[in-house]
Amino acid sequence: MTGRGAVRLGAPALVAALLLGGCGTSRSGDLGLAPTAPPPSVAPTDRPEPTPTRAAAPTPRATNRPPGPSTTASTGTHRLDPVTVELWYVRAGLLVPTRRTRPGTVATSRLALTELAAGPTPAEAATGMITLLPAGVEVTRIADGMATLRVPSVGDPATQRLREAQVVWTLTQFPSVRQVRLDDAAPVDRADYADLLPPIVVTGPIPGERVSAPLVVTGTATVFEATVSVRVLDAAGRQVATGFGAASCGSGCRGGYRVVVGWRTVREQKGTVEVYEVSAENGERIHTMAVPVVLAPRN
C-alpha cells in the first residue's frame, strides 16, 4: 500500500519534471555591427515552429527551377533609405553649408567626407563655394563620441584651419560624433571654429534647389535685434516676395531663424533668395547671403 501511494504521489512531480525539461532554451546569435539607424520593424514571429509529430510525405525537390521570391530573404535584406548629409564648404574665407542626398549607406561619415572632397556643384560653385579638403581623407575610428582622422597639413595656417573646420562641422552633424581629433591634437568641436561662420548662415534652401511657395527659409544668424530679412528675386532681378523674422538670439549671440515667404509666378524660372540684415545706421542691406534657386509656379 505504501509503495503504490508513493507511485501516485510521484506522478505529478514526474510530469512537472518532464514539462520543465521540455522547455526550449533562449536563443542567442551574432548581432553584428551596431546599425546607424533603427532596424525595420519585424513582426514577432521569431518563436520556432513546433516540430510535427508525423512526418509528411516526401515531395520531389525542384532543383532546376529558378528560385522564386523568398520570404526569408526579403525580410532578411533591407534596402537602406536614401541619406541626406550636410556639407560645409568655404565661401569668401568663411564656412557655409549645403546638402547632398545619396543612396543609403551605413558609412555616413565616409560618404560625407567623400562628398566634401568632391567639391561643390556648379550651382554651388557659382556662389563662390570651394572645398579645401583633399580626396582620400577618412575617419579611422569613431568611439565614445570621438572621430579620429588625419588631415594633410598645408603651408598657410589660415587655410589649414578652414580645412579642419570643414571636417569638424561636417562630421559633428552625426549623433555619434561630438568631437573630432585631428592629427593626434586635442579634441575639438564646432565651438572651436564658430568664429569662421558668417553673420548669416542659410541652411535652406540650398543652391540650385527647385522651390515653390510658400518657401521656408532657415538658418542661423547673429544680427542687430535678431531681425533677419528675406527677399525673393525672379529671373529678371525683380523682387517678387519679401519677409522677415526673428532669430532665437539677438545681437552678440547666434540663434536659429525661420522665415516663410510666398510669391506668384506664371512660369518656372531661375531666381534668387537673399537673406540679409538691415543696417541700423542707414537701412542698407548688409551681410547678404544670396542663394540661386529655381522658382516653381504657385499651384
Side-chain angles (χ1 to χ4, degrees):
M1 187 69 178
T2 302
R4 293 174 61 186
V7 171
R8 285 196 302 269
L9 291 175
L14 178 59
V15 172
L18 291 173
L19 290 175
L20 291 173
C23 292
T25 59
S26 61
R27 296 182 301 156
S28 63
D30 184 9
L31 297 179
L33 297 176
T36 58
S41 58
V42 180
T45 56
D46 59 346
R47 183 182 298 277
E49 295 292 333
T51 304
T53 56
R54 183 176 59 186
T59 56
R61 292 178 176 267
T63 55
N64 296 325
R65 182 181 300 173
S70 170
T71 302
T72 303
S74 63
T75 57
T77 303
H78 174 60
R79 184 184 298 275
L80 295 174
D81 294 330
V83 58
T84 299
V85 293
E86 186 178 79
L87 307 174
W88 287 83
Y89 287 125
V90 175
R91 177 180 177 182
L94 298 172
L95 293 175
V96 289
T98 187
R99 296 189 303 275
R100 295 279 190 283
T101 299
R102 293 292 183 260
T105 177
V106 296
T108 51
S109 61
R110 178 181 298 176
L111 170 65
L113 291 179
T114 299
E115 292 291 332
L116 194 63
T121 64
E124 293 163 349
T127 69
M129 289 186 186
I130 63 171
T131 185
L132 301 175
L133 190 71
V137 176
E138 291 187 2
V139 175
T140 58
R141 185 170 183 263
I142 296 179
D144 300 326
M146 178 85 67
T148 303
L149 69 162
R150 291 185 178 278
V151 178
S153 60
V154 294
D156 186 353
T159 304
Q160 174 68 14
R161 188 163 182 262
L162 274 170
R163 179 178 299 185
E164 293 174 354
Q166 282 190 261
V167 173
V168 172
W169 274 77
T170 297
L171 289 181
T172 51
Q173 70 183 287
F174 304 116
S176 59
V177 180
R178 297 186 301 274
Q179 291 182 308
V180 178
R181 186 186 296 276
L182 301 163
D183 302 316
D184 299 325
V188 290
D189 57 22
R190 289 191 171 193
D192 293 288
Y193 302 92
D195 62 300
L196 294 178
L197 295 178
I200 297 175
V201 172
V202 181
T203 57
I206 63 173
E209 184 176 351
R210 183 178 185 272
V211 298
S212 59
L215 171 65
V216 179
V217 182
T218 59
T220 65
T222 171
V223 292
F224 179 70
E225 293 186 345
T227 303
V228 178
S229 298
V230 175
R231 70 173 187 159
V232 180
L233 308 178
D234 65 9
R238 293 185 297 260
Q239 181 174 290
V240 297
T242 61
F244 66 92
S248 60
C249 191
S251 303
C253 59
R254 182 171 295 274
Y257 66 84
R258 181 179 186 273
V259 180
V260 181
V261 292
W263 63 86
R264 294 180 180 273
T265 60
V266 296
R267 62 181 177 85
E268 185 165 302
Q269 59 188 289
K270 292 182 179 180
T272 305
V273 176
E274 290 186 351
V275 187
Y276 56 94
E277 174 187 357
V278 176
S279 172
E281 296 180 1
N282 53 26
E284 296 291 331
R285 290 186 295 273
I286 60 175
H287 303 139
T288 301
M289 297 297 291
V291 182
V293 295
V294 176
L295 302 178
R298 185 170 183 175
N299 296 329

